[in-house]
């Protein structure tokens, strides 16, 4: 894999999600209930990706990816539960009891939770350069969100932090599914999370907005939640959760820039400082060179691949021809040295 692909994919994911935020705010300005909007955005994601998946398969235009296997369903259920149910519910509880400035600031905890869980629990490799870069990106997001005042850091704030931790768990568990079809993963998550949030919002007393607002929410959800999540799953495949989470933390800055360009919002000192901090953080990550001797244990899995240095296997009569292609294959033990990220084939331990 070209090492440049992973960061680019992660930044595209952040771009789509960040750009969707100010557009979604326009719908909130039209009086759409926030919880209901979350449901419509997720459903737009799931339905849009479902149509893409179905039409693409019929036309033969969708790249063949490994489908979700039976063993993936447990992890997918946890992903939907953590990121699609617990996270949004805790966020709604927190928003009801917290100042808007406090909520905006605390939502940046998601990036920190994603990176912390990846590095502490899943033992992804990290050095001082990456830590400094990650905290520079997060500091930029905090500066961008800060509107002055300590706000209310009570139970509402704890609920928002809980939501961010749930999304951090979601991001790390999704890494376990990253070999499978990212469109299928995002589609299932969108449909499940959208249905749950919509039902909860309607039960809470929300009413459906006019059809144009529903269509707009669906379109924003398809790009900002659906396609963005597909890109994020691919980034997890190439980068691991910690690095993908760091790049994705640039989404608030991207959203602010889109708001300036499309909505005419002013260029503030917060935006300039955030740009500088995030620029430093992204540079430190892009300049990373993780290169050491490492050993690949024997393993077998299915995912889309080409016959590079890590895929020197033989094909059976039923395996597809042409590249890239998808089929179950086995990796023999191998020890070598080259630059790499903690991708599908480099989730090995490191000396502490």
């Amino acid at each position: 894999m070209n090492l440049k692909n992973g960061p680019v994919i992660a930044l595209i994911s952040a771009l789509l999600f960040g750009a969707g935020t100010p557009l979604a705010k326009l719908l909130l300005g039209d009086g759409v209930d926030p919880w209901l909007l979350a449901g419509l955005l997720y459903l737009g994601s799931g339905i849009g990706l479902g149509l893409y998946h179905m039409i693409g398969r019929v036309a033969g235009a969708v790249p063949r990816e490994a489908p979700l296997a039976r063993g993936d369903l447990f992890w997918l259920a946890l992903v939907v539960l953590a990121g699609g149910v617990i996270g949004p519910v805790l966020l709604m509880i927190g928003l009801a009891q917290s100042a808007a400035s406090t909520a905006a600031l605390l939502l940046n905890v998601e990036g920190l939770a994603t990176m912390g869980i990846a590095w502490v629990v899943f033992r992804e490799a990290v050095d001082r350069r990456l830590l400094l870069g990650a905290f520079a990106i997060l500091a930029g997001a905090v500066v961008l969100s800060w509107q002055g005042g300590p706000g209310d850091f009570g139970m509402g704030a704890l609920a928002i932090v809980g939501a961010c931790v749930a999304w951090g768990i979601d991001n790390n568990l999704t890494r376990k599914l990253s070999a499978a079809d990212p469109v299928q993963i995002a589609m299932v998550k969108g449909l499940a999370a959208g249905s749950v949030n919509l039902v909860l919002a309607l039960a809470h007393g929300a009413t459906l907005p006019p059809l144009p607002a529903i269509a707009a929410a669906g379109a924003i959800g398809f790009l900002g939640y659906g396609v963005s999540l597909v890109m994020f799953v691919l980034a997890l495949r190439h980068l691991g959760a910690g690095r993908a989470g760091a790049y994705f933390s640039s989404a608030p800055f991207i959203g602010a820039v889109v708001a300036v360009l499309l909505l005419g919002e002013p260029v503030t000192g917060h935006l300039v400082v955030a740009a500088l901090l995030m620029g430093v953080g992204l540079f430190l990550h892009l300049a990373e060179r993780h290169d050491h001797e490492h050993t690949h244990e024997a393993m077998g899995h299915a995912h889309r691949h080409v016959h590079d240095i890590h895929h020197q296997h033989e094909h059976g009569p039923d395996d597809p021809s042409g590249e890239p292609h998808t089929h179950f294959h086995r990796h023999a033990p191998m020890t070598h040295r080259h630059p790499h990220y903690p991708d599908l084939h480099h989730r090995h331990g490191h000396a502490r």
Side-chain angles (χ1 to χ4, degrees):
M1 182 203 74
N2 187 332
L3 292 183
K4 295 181 180 179
N5 291 348
V8 171
I9 294 171
L11 289 172
I12 291 174
S13 174
L15 171 64
L16 291 171
F17 184 78
T21 301
L23 297 177
K25 286 182 180 179
L26 290 177
L27 294 177
L28 290 175
D30 290 337
V32 180
D33 179 82
W35 204 338
L36 184 72
L37 178 59
L40 293 175
L41 290 170
Y42 274 119
L43 279 177
S45 161
I47 294 172
L49 290 174
L51 291 173
Y52 166 81
H53 198 268
M54 180 177 64
I55 296 172
R57 288 298 188 197
V58 172
V62 176
R64 286 287 178 183
E65 293 275 359
L68 286 164
R70 181 176 299 177
D72 295 328
L73 298 183
F74 171 74
W75 298 111
L76 182 60
L78 290 181
V79 164
V80 172
L81 178 63
V85 180
I86 295 176
V89 169
L90 286 177
L91 177 62
M92 292 302 111
I93 294 172
L95 288 176
Q97 303 180 46
S98 302
S101 58
T102 301
L105 186 64
L106 289 174
L107 283 174
N108 294 302
V109 172
E110 179 186 351
L112 185 60
T114 299
M115 289 180 276
I117 293 170
W119 294 335
V120 175
V121 178
F122 292 99
R123 300 294 184 180
E124 286 190 7
V126 60
D127 57 22
R128 291 178 181 177
R129 174 192 291 266
L130 283 178
L131 278 175
L132 183 60
F135 280 108
I137 294 171
L138 283 172
V142 168
V143 168
L144 196 63
S145 305
W146 182 253
Q147 297 177 12
D152 176 18
F153 286 91
M155 293 304 297
L158 289 177
I160 294 174
V161 171
C164 292
V165 172
W167 287 321
I169 293 172
D170 166 15
N171 293 335
N172 277 276
L173 293 181
T174 301
R175 187 189 75 156
K176 290 183 171 292
L177 305 172
S178 60
D181 187 345
V183 173
Q184 193 177 13
I185 294 169
M187 176 185 67
V188 172
K189 183 177 179 181
L191 291 173
S195 299
V196 170
N197 281 281
L198 188 63
V199 168
L200 289 175
L202 293 174
H204 190 64
T207 57
L208 289 172
L211 188 58
I214 294 177
I220 295 169
F222 171 64
L223 293 173
Y225 282 52
V227 179
S228 174
L229 180 55
V230 170
M231 295 292 104
F232 188 74
V233 173
L234 290 173
L236 289 172
R237 180 185 296 180
H238 294 315
L239 297 173
R243 289 161 178 80
Y247 286 115
F248 193 78
S249 295
S250 62
F253 171 72
I254 293 171
V257 172
V258 170
V260 169
L261 296 177
L262 295 185
L263 307 181
E265 293 190 2
V267 177
T268 64
H270 287 82
L271 184 61
V272 174
V273 173
L276 293 174
L277 286 169
M278 288 188 174
V280 170
L282 290 175
F283 169 78
L284 290 173
H285 275 256
L286 290 169
E288 176 192 10
R289 182 178 176 84
H290 187 70
D291 184 348
H292 63 93
E293 184 176 272
H294 54 277
T295 298
H296 297 268
E297 303 293 340
M299 65 181 297
H301 58 184
H303 66 94
R304 193 163 180 253
H305 63 277
V306 298
H307 285 181
D308 57 17
I309 189 174
H310 297 102
H311 296 89
Q312 296 298 317
H313 49 261
E314 294 184 358
H315 278 200
D318 298 327
D319 289 333
S321 58
E323 295 183 21
H325 54 228
T326 301
H327 63 92
F328 183 85
H329 54 278
R330 295 191 180 278
H331 294 267
M334 178 193 307
T335 299
H336 61 178
R337 176 173 184 159
H338 64 92
H340 60 277
Y341 290 125
D343 57 24
L344 280 176
H345 303 98
H346 295 92
R347 290 173 182 171
H348 47 259
H350 292 79
R352 295 286 176 172

